[in-house]
Amino acid sequence: MSGPPPKTCITCGRGIAPSEVYYRFTLVLEGEQDVLDTPRAGSGTDELTALLKQLEASPESSQAMEEQVHWERAGVVCAACRTVVMRTLAPPTEPAGPH
């Protein structure tokens, strides 16, 4: 009788034996903006046309642009990597400076 196949930690790449504890995660980052620039009176269509031309001329792929707005990953991490992820996502104990 065979057990479940071993899992692989998405962070460090180490194999996780079926008898080891692992942590399943799903992470979604979604871009948001609370206030949009207010278009000048009568220029809304012109600004939209200029923005569309700028996007079409961009060297970035449509997938890269989409990932700036919506990025999603899921997987499993080992116990050691869980500690690193938890530390990274924990609120800072003191105010952080600018990035």
Side-chain angles (χ1 to χ4, degrees):
M1 179 174 170
S2 65
K7 308 227 179 331
T8 302
C9 177
I10 198 167
T11 303
C12 69
R14 184 178 71 80
I16 304 169
S19 60
E20 287 184 81
V21 174
Y22 62 91
Y23 299 88
R24 184 171 308 282
F25 74 92
T26 301
L27 178 62
V28 178
L29 300 177
E30 294 179 333
E32 294 185 5
Q33 187 172 352
D34 289 336
V35 178
L36 298 175
D37 293 336
T38 306
R40 294 182 306 267
S43 66
T45 303
D46 294 338
E47 286 183 13
L48 182 57
T49 302
L51 178 60
L52 287 173
K53 285 181 182 178
Q54 180 183 354
L55 289 172
E56 290 170 352
S58 173
E60 290 189 84
S61 70
S62 59
Q63 182 179 356
M65 285 192 245
E66 183 179 329
E67 285 186 351
Q68 291 178 15
V69 178
H70 181 91
W71 185 85
E72 193 171 326
R73 292 296 182 271
V76 297
V77 293
C78 64
C81 289
R82 176 191 178 270
T83 302
V84 174
V85 171
M86 296 294 289
R87 190 175 336 128
T88 302
L89 296 176
T93 55
E94 52 188 66
H99 289 48

